[in-house]
Each structure stands twice: as C-alpha cells, then as structure tokens.
Amino acid sequence: MKRKAAVIGSGFGGLALAIRLQSAGIDTTVIEARDKPGGRAYHWEKDGHVFDAGPTVITDPACLRELWELTGADMARDVSLVPVSPFYRLSWPDGTIFDYVNDDEQLFRQIEALEPADVEGYKRFLRYSEGVYVEGYEKLGAVPFLDFKSMLQAAPQLARYQAWRSVYSVVSRFVRNEKLRQALSFHSLLVGGNPMTTSAIYALIHKLERDGGVWFAEGGTNRLVAGMVTHLERIGGTVRLDDPVSGIWTEGDRATAVRTRSGWTGTFDAVASNADIVRTYEMLAHPSARRRSTSLKRKRFSPSLFVVHFSTTGSWEDVPHHSILFGPRYAALLKEIYRGSALPNDPSIYLHHPTATDASMAPEGRSTFYALAPVPHLGRTNFDWEKEGPAYAERLLEILEDRMLPGLRSRLGEVFHFGPADFEQELNSHLGSAFSLEPVLTQSAYFRVHNRDDVVRNLYFVGAGTHPGAGIPGVVGSAKATAGLMIEDLAA
C-alpha cells in the first residue's frame, strides 16, 4: 500500500517537505490552521494593495528550484524571481548611507570612505565567510544531527572557524569601523539571532547573499507560496486549510493519526510538524510529550517582531526595496531586545518597499511598505499590546518620516500592525517568538530539536525550530534533511 504522511503547517519548511515527500511517491497531506497557506509568509489584500507578512528576503534560489526539479519541472512555470539591488540600503542617524551591493568596485569604494584600512579587512572577512559557508551550509545545512557523535564529527571544522565566538566578535577582527561592523553582522537578526551572541557560523549568510543574490518573487512572497502549493497539488499532494490540528494520536512509540478542530481525522504512517515546537508537543498524546514540552520551555527563544504595514499615495523613487535604519545604539539595543523587558524607544528598523520592484503590489499611483522592529518576546514583557501597539506603530512611522520618508503621515492610507500577541494568537507561537529557538551555539545542530523525535519514532520536525534554523534557505534545508529521514524510514 502507498505510504501516507501528514505535514502540520504550510510554512516554507512544511511545503518544501511535502513537495519532497510527494515527489518520492508518499501520499502527503498538509494541514494548515489559517485560511491561507504560508505560515509566517501570510499576506493580506486591502483595497488593491498586497501586504506580505514576510519573510521578504529570498536568497539561494537554487534550493527552491530543486523542489521542482525533483519531478523534472521548472519553477519558472509557477514563480518569477527578480533580482534586487542594492541588496539593502543601510543608514544611520548621522546621515551615513551604505548601499550593500554585489559589485566589488562600488562596495570597496564605500568601505574606503568609512575606513580605508577596512577594504583589506573586508576581503579577509569575505574569505572567512566563504569558509564557514562551505562547512556550515554546503556540508551541514541539510544533515540531520540525531546523535552527539554526528556533532563531534563536525566539531573540528567548526572549531577551525571559531564557532564559539559571536558574529560581531569575528567581524570585529577584520574591520575596525563601527558602522561596518554593524553592516557585516546584522544578518543574523534575519534568522532571529543576536549578532553579539549568535555563533560566528552565521557569518555564512554574507557569502550566501554574495553568491546567490537577493531576490523578490513577482507579486510578493505570497506568490512563491502559491507556486509551491500549485506544484504540490499538481504532483498529487493535498493542502487542507482553515482547520487547526487539535491532537496527534499515538499507539506505543508511533504516531498514528491527526485530528483537527473540525472533527476531521486522518490516519498516517508518519507525521511531520512545521508548527511551533512547543505547541506540537502540547498536541501530542504521548507520555513523553509533557516532559519534552517542559524541557523546551526552559530554552532561550528568539525575540518577537513588531511590524507596521502601510500604504501611501504616490511613489518613493529614492527608497530602495530593502532598507535597514540603524538606531543610535547597537549593542545596548540588542541587549534590551534579547534580555530586557522594556520596549525600545530608539529601535532599528527594517523597511520593506515592494513597489520599488513591483508596481503591481499597489494600485496605480500608490505604494506599499512594511516597517519591522525586533522587540522582546512575551516571556520578557507584560505589555497590553492592544494599548501599546498603536503607540509603537506611531513611533516607527515617526522615525521613518524623520529619516527616510518626508511627509509620510500626510500621504498615509491603510495602516495596520502585527505584533508579539499576534504571533502567539494567530501563529500559535510560544511566547510570540518570531523565529523559535534562539540560534546560539548551545541550541544549534544536535542541541536543537532533532529532525526526528527520539521517542515517537515516526514524528518529525521541519522549520525554524529544528536544524539548521530560520530563514528561507534554513527551513528549506531542514525540509531536505527531514525528507531524507522520512523517505528512508517509510521505505523500511
């Protein structure tokens, strides 16, 4: 009989896993709680504007194309990716602007303007990034760390690149200018990591972007999600929407069935979860589940995010697709976000401006944006977000108007926000964390949630909470690792 698998959650990791399983001949059903697929890559359509929830930075398109190539298909049939340049425009309160581009001459010229000696330092950093990219991404990005032996085998090379040091610490070895240190270390924030504490292995992101570029899906990230769903269904997979999973049933050490809120029950040979790792164990009907859930809650979770979506009249031709507005503090701000309990009044902001690349994201003569600021998760705060949310949204808009979008509030249209309480309530995320477990060395690889459960032998994990971590390439890599295990186990 044909084997059957369930994938709980339709984020990028869940969809990538489902495509791999279905391509291998395993009858796969994706079960999604929300009314649209995508998980954190949800979207809203309001008055002709398309608002992507995120993620909005697409790197390593080859890992996505591979999902179609498994069955001899072409991703271009369903998704059109276009390059974004500059990758990001970085700015500081004193007016300094740095365009992070994939052109050495332009990049070196900007580095020299900040600190001439740092040109050679940057070249050395790039060689370092190339090394950790090979060791951390090419060799280990899709390898499941199921036992400590596998971690020990990887340890020598990780030690060679001083993986115990932080991204910021390693960057500081190569460049002396503080702005350049921020420019070369902020990337770990894109996967939920504090540059001051996240393993230096995450410096590989710089090489990943330099080699593969930064891309945007025409129509928004939601079109990449839609393309993945279209392809999955074309090859025989099923996506069940708007029906949250209420329980994962077991017999002995095997998961046997999934039940949903509507009362639907499906029986399966294997179950994989792209849902929050803590919530998954809370759904699991097995004696080990409470112990595992309690253990996970003691770990360090990444912060949450506060995101303001807004539309405006007119266009903003001088504002690129991706911008990073650094605040007056860096290390102190990061400490406040990751270890503090206050809501920063001087946040750093990532500004997404999709209509800079694709005018179809808004009606003619209008623009869409979102502004994102990392904030402490709910385990560190006791804010009333219904009260604090509108005020914090106004604070972000105030900073944007002052530094990048003059006259913004006189041109505003639709404005709404999505914050920590929404991550918890709508995405069922433990503590409202936006990226699951914080990617510190002691919560990486073998020390992260394993791709296959140690007790329930046909329960698997995919996505940000398992190896290798968050970000589109990370969760797609986790899908490759998990699919390899599942396909092998189900063939036995």
Side-chain angles (χ1 to χ4, degrees):
M1 292 180 63
K2 193 172 186 179
R3 295 290 193 167
K4 295 169 60 180
V7 177
I8 302 169
S10 66
F12 278 116
L15 290 175
L17 175 60
I19 289 170
R20 286 188 173 276
L21 296 177
Q22 191 67 42
S23 298
I26 298 166
D27 190 7
T28 306
T29 299
V30 177
I31 308 163
E32 169 58 44
R34 303 177 87 183
D35 63 334
K36 298 172 188 171
R40 282 161 171 72
Y42 193 77
H43 75 285
W44 298 270
E45 296 181 26
K46 297 175 182 285
D47 297 326
H49 301 82
V50 179
F51 297 97
D52 272 328
T56 56
V57 178
I58 299 172
T59 55
D60 192 14
C63 75
L64 295 167
R65 285 194 292 269
E66 186 179 298
L67 299 172
W68 275 258
E69 292 167 355
L70 291 168
T71 51
D74 185 354
M75 186 174 81
R77 177 181 178 183
D78 300 310
V79 183
S80 178
L81 295 181
V82 295
V84 175
S85 185
F87 293 167
Y88 314 92
R89 174 164 292 166
L90 313 178
S91 69
W92 287 266
D94 66 1
T96 301
I97 291 176
F98 188 96
D99 279 347
Y100 173 33
V101 295
N102 207 16
D103 178 279
D104 282 345
E105 184 178 340
Q106 186 179 347
L107 203 57
F108 295 161
R109 188 167 58 249
Q110 292 181 92
I111 293 172
E112 187 173 25
L114 291 174
E115 173 54 65
D118 282 346
V119 174
E120 288 304 315
Y122 170 74
K123 292 176 182 178
R124 294 196 303 273
F125 170 72
L126 185 56
R127 290 194 291 273
Y128 172 88
S129 181
E130 289 171 350
V132 293
Y133 171 81
V134 171
E135 297 300 330
Y137 187 74
E138 288 188 344
K139 293 183 179 180
L140 304 177
V143 174
F145 286 83
L146 300 180
D147 53 49
F148 193 62
K149 180 182 177 182
S150 60
M151 186 72 175
L152 290 176
Q153 291 171 339
Q157 288 305 316
L158 298 180
R160 176 186 171 194
Y161 289 98
Q162 299 183 319
W164 66 85
R165 299 185 65 168
S166 72
V167 175
Y168 182 86
S169 171
V170 164
V171 166
S172 298
R173 287 175 46 206
F174 296 104
V175 298
R176 65 181 68 170
N177 182 272
E178 175 58 25
K179 290 185 174 70
L180 287 175
R181 290 175 173 180
Q182 295 176 22
L184 297 175
S185 66
F186 82 88
H187 294 81
S188 62
L189 287 161
L190 302 177
V191 295
N194 180 350
M196 299 295 175
T197 58
T198 295
S199 167
I201 291 297
Y202 284 87
L204 67 83
I205 298 174
H206 187 78
K207 173 65 173 175
L208 184 70
E209 292 180 339
R210 286 298 307 264
D211 275 13
V214 172
W215 300 80
F216 178 72
E218 286 189 352
T221 308
N222 66 90
R223 300 317 304 160
L224 175 55
V225 171
M228 294 174 77
V229 171
T230 295
H231 180 60
L232 173 62
E233 293 179 335
R234 182 188 298 129
I235 61 177
T238 301
V239 178
R240 184 181 184 88
L241 296 174
D242 205 16
D243 200 8
V245 170
S246 57
I248 304 168
W249 304 106
T250 61
E251 292 182 9
D253 65 351
R254 309 288 294 177
T256 56
V258 174
R259 181 173 294 176
T260 65
R261 187 174 61 188
S262 70
W264 176 87
T265 299
T267 57
F268 299 96
D269 299 294
V271 176
S273 179
N274 185 212
D276 180 270
I277 51 176
V278 172
R279 304 294 188 229
T280 299
Y281 280 108
E282 290 176 346
M283 293 186 288
L284 181 65
H286 189 272
S288 67
R290 178 174 291 184
R291 172 181 53 80
R292 191 70 176 110
S293 175
T294 301
S295 174
L296 283 170
K297 288 176 181 178
R298 296 193 192 105
K299 293 183 177 290
R300 288 167 55 175
F301 281 78
S302 293
S304 192
L305 299 173
F306 187 85
V307 189
V308 184
H309 298 268
F310 60 96
S311 67
T312 74
T313 57
S315 61
W316 305 81
E317 296 179 358
D318 295 332
V319 179
H321 193 122
H322 303 295
S323 299
I324 307 290
L325 288 73
F326 290 104
R329 301 181 298 156
Y330 191 60
L333 175 64
L334 290 168
K335 184 176 182 181
E336 198 168 303
I337 292 167
Y338 280 80
R339 309 303 293 170
S341 59
L343 192 57
N345 193 49
D346 58 348
S348 291
I349 299 173
Y350 160 57
L351 181 66
H352 179 230
H353 177 206
T355 40
T357 301
D358 185 356
S360 74
M361 299 287 287
E364 186 175 356
R366 298 190 65 85
S367 300
T368 57
F369 293 87
Y370 83 48
L372 174 156
V375 295
H377 61 56
L378 296 174
R380 297 197 169 277
T381 64
N382 59 356
F383 301 137
D384 178 355
W385 277 104
E386 286 194 15
K387 177 182 177 182
E388 296 290 345
Y392 207 57
E394 178 60 25
R395 176 59 182 147
L396 266 58
L397 294 173
E398 178 184 27
I399 293 170
L400 292 172
E401 184 168 40
D402 179 58
R403 290 184 49 185
M404 184 165 282
L405 303 173
L408 169 62
R409 281 175 288 188
S410 66
R411 297 168 60 177
L412 280 174
E414 184 79 35
V415 180
F416 62 102
H417 59 266
F418 194 93
D422 302 299
F423 275 93
E424 182 182 57
Q425 294 162 15
E426 294 195 32
L427 290 168
N428 206 21
S429 176
H430 178 61
L431 302 177
S433 170
F435 303 95
S436 193
L437 293 173
E438 186 180 343
V440 292
L441 191 60
T442 53
Q443 295 185 164
S444 298
Y446 171 76
F447 301 113
R448 212 162 180 82
V449 170
H450 296 170
N451 299 75
R452 180 177 61 207
D453 188 68
D454 298 336
V455 177
V456 182
R457 303 299 295 171
N458 66 336
L459 174 65
Y460 304 83
F461 290 89
V462 65
T466 190
H467 175 72
I472 292 178
V475 299
V476 171
S478 79
K480 189 172 185 177
T482 302
L485 293 171
M486 295 180 72
I487 292 167
E488 181 179 358
D489 291 348
L490 290 172

